Amino acid sequence: MSFYVIPTPDQASIPVRSGGAFPVRRVYCIGRNYAAHAVEMGHDPDREPPFFFQKNPDNLTSDGTFPYPSQSSDVHHEVELLIALKSGGRDIPVEQALEHIWGYAPCLDMTRRDLQGTAKKMGRPWEIGKAFEASAPTGPLESVAEVGHLDQGRISLQINGDTRQSGDLNQMIWKAPEMIAYLSRYFELAAGDVILTGTPAGVGPVDKGDVIDVEIDGLLPLQVKVT
Ligand code: MN
């Protein structure tokens, strides 16, 4: 007899390029972290304090598919760089924040834009638009030891071969160390936490059958088919 009264849920994880898997504890996502995307969503790109929402660890998938979700007819792609933490803590100084990063992966913050829009209008939380099944297809994770720290380089997304999003990691309003430091003032960060670092301009809808190609300089590409 196991100690637990029901079967234990699977540990969410991200495959690692060099072998094995990274276990995921929490998923933090920053909103509006590229000025051009803030503008396209109707907001002022000035450097307001950052804000975060969360997805669920088991929303991260890596089977190369994105099943079109229920209850939406306007599902958008957002290409993002994912940061994976090997350690954490509270009140982490900006100068020490990079030491907590284990590695990086390409990721998609798939969004039920219609449901998110209703939630925004009514002052409701965003989970229904953001934290649904398979809402974060994620590429293989690569370690800092192998790829270094990614603070510049092209980040882009194609749908069926057409470029829809293209930016540079150096256009982030809040940089990786600042995001880690900021989050650690409000939450206790720990090994296994990941951060989705925001999307450049050009978000838009996907349809069943689309092939999404994500490229981030320094990382393996990610391809996802909408099913
Ligand atoms: Mn996003």
Side-chain angles (χ1 to χ4, degrees):
M1 262 298 273
S2 149
F3 173 75
Y4 295 109
V5 298
I6 59 165
T8 51
D10 291 339
Q11 169 66 53
S13 66
I14 305 168
V16 172
R17 182 185 188 179
S18 56
F22 179 93
V24 179
R25 174 181 178 261
R26 293 183 186 171
V27 182
Y28 296 100
C29 310
I30 192 168
R32 294 170 211 146
N33 201 29
Y34 289 74
H37 173 63
V39 171
E40 77 177 348
M41 298 303 286
H43 297 277
D44 189 328
D46 283 350
R47 194 167 142 119
E48 297 167 348
F51 71 93
F52 293 84
F53 59 91
Q54 284 178 275
K55 293 199 185 226
N56 300 297
D58 69 346
N59 296 155
L60 272 64
T61 56
S62 51
D63 66 352
T65 67
F66 171 69
Y68 200 95
S70 62
Q71 303 296 325
S72 176
S73 54
D74 191 27
V75 176
H76 280 204
H77 55 78
E78 297 189 359
V79 59
E80 313 211 356
L81 175 69
L82 177 146
I83 295 174
L85 301 187
K86 64 181 178 188
S87 54
R90 293 181 176 154
D91 298 319
I92 297 169
V94 172
E95 309 77 48
Q96 289 166 24
L98 283 180
E99 298 165 17
H100 296 282
I101 300 178
W102 189 87
Y104 298 91
C107 188
L108 290 165
D109 169 14
M110 300 304 292
T111 303
R112 286 163 164 157
R113 193 71 77 203
D114 42 5
L115 300 190
Q116 184 200 23
T118 303
K120 280 182 183 175
K121 226 177 284 170
M122 302 184 77
R124 291 176 178 168
W126 286 9
E127 281 82 0
I128 201 166
K130 289 288 195 180
F132 55 91
E133 273 58 44
S135 60
T138 302
L141 189 65
E142 302 196 59
S143 67
V144 170
E146 289 170 311
V147 299
H149 285 293
L150 303 185
D151 55 6
Q152 59 176 330
R154 186 162 187 260
I155 175 170
S156 67
L157 177 144
Q158 296 186 332
I159 302 282
N160 305 324
D162 291 338
T163 299
R164 302 288 174 83
Q165 293 190 261
S166 181
D168 195 294
L169 298 175
N170 68 14
Q171 296 166 337
M172 285 184 200
I173 297 171
W174 296 90
K175 312 299 184 191
E178 295 172 318
M179 282 184 258
I180 292 167
Y182 187 91
L183 277 169
S184 75
R185 289 160 53 192
Y186 293 87
F187 304 99
E188 181 164 355
L189 298 178
D193 291 350
V194 305
I195 304 169
L196 274 60
T197 56
T199 195
V203 301
V206 300
D207 290 313
K208 285 180 192 170
D210 284 349
V211 175
I212 305 172
D213 283 296
V214 167
E215 285 184 22
I216 297 177
D217 275 357
L219 298 177
L220 283 181
L222 165 67
Q223 186 174 77
V224 176
K225 182 159 188 191
V226 183
T227 59

